[in-house]
Amino acid sequence: MKLRFTLLTFATLFSLNTYACLNTYEEVETIVNEQGEKIDARNVLNILEWDYKEANNYAVELILSHQHPKAIELLLAIEDKFPDHFRTAANLGTAYELAGSNELALKWIKEGVQRNPQDHQGTEWLHVKILEAKLAMQQQPDWLASHTVTGLDFGKQVKPILPTTIPADFLGQPRTLDDYRKALSYQLTERMKLVKPHDAIVADLLFTQADLASLAGQDNAATLYRSALDYGATKHVLARTRLQGLPDDEAGVWIAATVAGGVLLLGGWVGFVKRRKKMDRDE
């Protein structure tokens, strides 16, 4: 069979690196036959001696096109042929998670962190906590009513309080609140590109991010609380209470902006009507 390389021009593939927990390279190539048909992922490593970069990128293409079983099959073959790459482990974890196999996803995301703790700006330890929370919810659907994904506890008062303990990551590495801020920002930015409301896990992460912002006096706390509510926060009563308890210049800024906008529109309309009546009289 005659084979050739061809560059993929899919719009989605120009932004591969923007997707959560997927690892690829800038030069995205795949293999096609002389008729321009893509080779089946199940046979691709037997047809041609790929280098690791090409094989990995093809697996990512399969994930992005929602062909998760094929992607998993190919990635397992890649792991066998090119063992110990952190990208393989991370991509396998993501493929298994998207396929709904959270136990295997957790296994491979942990493996990816162990191979390269700095992957995804060193935030994949939080991905581990996300998968652990998913597994806990499989056993206890209302788990988030009494727990958080991160394990951070900000109390039940109107205003969040500093946690008395800050959970370490799964490797036992101590973490700071600043570590959690950075990890939440990165992981949420990537996850919210793929996960739309309602999603209890994302909502809980947003709630935690809002509490951290509130404690730090950041002006985006109100926006984050509202986003948590939009995503269906399990602790929605507490989220609303904390949103309403923010200073007026923070929680009420959007109301003020809305009212001001309405006043401007009304003023413009009244001015238009007056000018129109004057023109009618002049005529």
Side-chain angles (χ1 to χ4, degrees):
M1 179 185 294
K2 182 180 177 181
L3 299 171
R4 62 184 175 84
F5 290 103
T6 183
L7 289 176
L8 292 173
T9 58
F10 293 67
T12 54
L13 294 179
F14 284 129
S15 57
L16 284 175
N17 289 318
T18 67
Y19 284 82
C21 307
L22 294 176
N23 281 272
T24 186
Y25 298 86
E26 290 184 8
E27 304 85 358
V28 182
E29 295 178 321
T30 188
I31 308 299
V32 298
N33 62 21
E34 58 186 347
Q35 287 79 36
E37 299 170 339
K38 294 175 190 175
I39 296 170
D40 193 298
R42 290 169 295 182
N43 302 317
V44 72
L45 291 181
N46 296 324
I47 294 173
L48 184 68
E49 288 295 316
W50 284 32
D51 69 23
Y52 174 76
K53 177 178 67 177
E54 295 160 355
N56 177 77
N57 286 353
Y58 187 61
V60 170
E61 180 196 343
L62 290 170
I63 293 173
L64 292 176
S65 60
H66 307 290
Q67 300 181 65
H68 304 134
K70 286 186 177 181
I72 291 167
E73 191 170 6
L74 176 55
L75 285 163
L76 289 172
I78 292 171
E79 175 67 14
D80 183 62
K81 188 174 182 64
F82 307 103
D84 302 325
H85 281 270
F86 76 89
R87 287 183 175 85
T88 309
N91 291 336
L92 264 170
T94 298
Y96 274 122
E97 183 179 5
L98 292 171
S101 300
N102 291 318
E103 288 186 6
L104 288 170
L106 179 60
K107 168 192 171 181
W108 283 105
I109 293 299
K110 283 184 174 180
E111 179 66 24
V113 175
Q114 291 171 329
R115 292 179 184 183
N116 180 14
Q118 299 309 312
D119 186 26
H120 291 111
Q121 299 183 15
T123 67
E124 281 295 89
W125 58 269
L126 182 56
H127 192 173
V128 170
K129 287 184 177 293
I130 291 169
L131 288 166
E132 288 173 342
K134 284 190 171 186
L135 289 170
M137 290 173 68
Q138 287 177 198
Q139 300 298 318
Q140 183 182 344
D142 63 346
W143 183 82
L144 282 175
S146 55
H147 298 80
T148 64
V149 174
T150 60
L152 293 170
D153 184 359
F154 297 92
K156 298 179 180 179
Q157 296 86 341
V158 173
K159 293 183 179 180
I161 60 174
L162 280 172
T164 56
T165 59
I166 302 175
D169 63 26
F170 77 100
L171 293 173
Q173 177 71 30
R175 293 292 172 182
T176 66
L177 288 182
D178 193 48
D179 289 334
Y180 275 92
R181 287 188 185 95
K182 292 177 180 177
L184 283 164
S185 178
Y186 184 90
Q187 291 284 326
L188 276 169
T189 297
E190 300 305 309
R191 188 163 288 266
M192 289 170 71
K193 294 173 183 175
L194 299 176
V195 180
K196 304 302 179 185
H198 288 66
D199 184 272
I201 293 288
V202 171
D204 185 81
L205 294 172
L206 285 164
F207 196 171
T208 295
Q209 193 178 32
D211 282 340
L212 286 169
S214 179
L215 282 170
Q218 297 173 348
D219 58 8
N220 64 335
T223 298
L224 291 169
Y225 282 126
R226 287 195 294 274
S227 294
L229 290 167
D230 288 343
Y231 265 87
T234 301
K235 304 181 187 77
H236 56 89
V237 174
L238 183 59
R240 287 194 181 91
T241 299
R242 287 191 174 157
L243 174 60
Q244 293 167 0
L246 289 171
D248 291 341
D249 59 347
E250 184 174 344
V253 66
W254 67 278
I255 299 176
T258 302
V259 172
V263 169
L264 288 173
L265 286 173
L266 180 60
W269 173 252
V270 171
F272 170 78
V273 171
K274 287 182 177 179
R275 287 193 300 272
R276 183 64 185 178
K277 287 181 176 179
K278 185 177 184 299
M279 289 173 61
D280 290 342
R281 287 198 302 268
D282 292 342
E283 291 177 356

